[in-house]
Amino acid sequence: MNTDEEPIAKRRRLTKERKARWLAKQSQESLDRIRAVDAAAYRRRIEAETPPQSQARRERNAETHHIVRDRQRIRDKTIHFIEAQVETDGCRTMNIICQFCKSKNFAVERPFDVKFTSCYRKGKIKLEKPSDALGNDLLSLSLSLSLYPNFLLDLLTNPNNPDYKHFLGNTRSYNSAISFASMGAKVVDFSCGVPYVFKVHGQICHHTSHIQSVNG
């Protein structure tokens, strides 16, 4: 297509895109040299201006600043207007107790019949009491903590432990590292210079080799 037949705005956009791509390929030293040359050329233009040209330039700059300030003011008024029209509401206190599992819930989560369905399906699901490896019931958090191995209990509850903050901040990673299953899939690798995308081809499976005995 002939560039003379393109709209002016499109030609300017294409020119800016070409310039941006060209600048992205330059080294930092080249960019500094380009900025120095542009600054020197701007100073020469300012020095060569006549008084009427200087006055016209100042008026253009002032008009540009006024436009920017007006846009900012209009944007702020629009944001304040929209925020004033929005009715805010919170979930309030999580103090509604499920009669089946004793979990805490928000009032807005409570069904009309007051029987929660997201946990025990209105009492249809029956689960055994949690217990440790020895069969002891874990009736409370304090009891379950007392049955932890000492080094884990220290990592979880002792701020003086040098690994306390690191362990709490990376608990999910540690849990995944020693989980009973790990994800397996055919990961597609893009090597054409595009932004990174994690793409899986086919089915995602879970390996359970961690729970198999070493002796078969």
Side-chain angles (χ1 to χ4, degrees), residues 51-105:
Q53 290 174 337
S54 298
Q55 181 64 24
R57 177 175 54 80
R58 296 189 185 95
E59 292 176 356
R60 288 195 302 270
N61 291 341
E63 183 179 358
T64 302
H65 291 319
H66 284 307
I67 293 175
V68 172
R69 284 197 298 268
D70 289 342
R71 288 178 179 175
Q72 180 72 27
R73 179 175 51 81
I74 293 173
R75 191 192 70 172
D76 293 342
K77 283 187 175 181
T78 304
I79 293 175
H80 292 324
F81 174 78
I82 294 175
E83 290 179 347
Q85 304 303 313
V86 176
E87 295 183 3
T88 58
D89 189 15
C91 294
R92 300 180 179 87
T93 307
M94 184 184 287
N95 57 358
I96 307 301
I97 307 301
C98 173
Q99 59 179 302
F100 303 107
C101 67
K102 308 304 179 182
S103 63
K104 294 182 179 181
N105 302 268

Side-chain angles (χ1 to χ4, degrees), residues 94-151:
M94 184 184 287
N95 57 358
I96 307 301
I97 307 301
C98 173
Q99 59 179 302
F100 303 107
C101 67
K102 308 304 179 182
S103 63
K104 294 182 179 181
N105 302 268
F106 293 111
V108 294
E109 297 177 304
R110 180 171 49 190
F112 291 108
D113 58 359
V114 199
K115 296 181 179 180
F116 291 94
T117 184
S118 59
C119 48
Y120 273 47
R121 300 290 297 177
K122 300 183 184 294
K124 295 180 181 179
I125 297 177
K126 304 294 183 180
L127 297 178
E128 297 180 1
K129 293 182 179 180
S131 60
D132 62 5
L134 301 177
N136 300 315
D137 292 340
L138 301 179
L139 303 179
S140 64
L141 177 61
S142 59
L143 179 57
S144 62
L145 285 177
S146 65
L147 297 174
Y148 276 17
N150 291 332
F151 74 95

Side-chain angles (χ1 to χ4, degrees), residues 3-21:
T3 56
D4 294 335
E5 298 176 358
E6 293 178 351
I8 296 177
K10 184 176 181 179
R11 292 206 305 271
R12 289 177 178 173
R13 178 176 58 81
L14 292 175
T15 301
K16 290 181 179 179
E17 291 177 355
R18 295 190 191 101
K19 184 177 180 180
R21 288 196 297 268

Side-chain angles (χ1 to χ4, degrees), residues 153-170:
L153 182 62
D154 193 63
L155 283 172
L156 284 169
T157 60
N158 183 12
N160 296 323
N161 189 309
D163 297 322
Y164 171 77
K165 292 184 178 180
H166 178 78
F167 185 78
L168 292 185
N170 299 274

Side-chain angles (χ1 to χ4, degrees), residues 4-55:
D4 294 335
E5 298 176 358
E6 293 178 351
I8 296 177
K10 184 176 181 179
R11 292 206 305 271
R12 289 177 178 173
R13 178 176 58 81
L14 292 175
T15 301
K16 290 181 179 179
E17 291 177 355
R18 295 190 191 101
K19 184 177 180 180
R21 288 196 297 268
W22 181 81
L23 289 174
K25 298 178 181 179
Q26 305 303 310
S27 63
Q28 186 61 43
E29 183 180 355
S30 299
L31 293 175
D32 294 339
R33 186 164 55 251
I34 292 171
R35 294 189 184 98
V37 172
D38 290 344
Y42 179 76
R43 287 195 298 269
R44 287 195 297 270
R45 287 198 303 270
I46 297 298
E47 294 172 354
E49 284 181 350
T50 61
Q53 290 174 337
S54 298
Q55 181 64 24

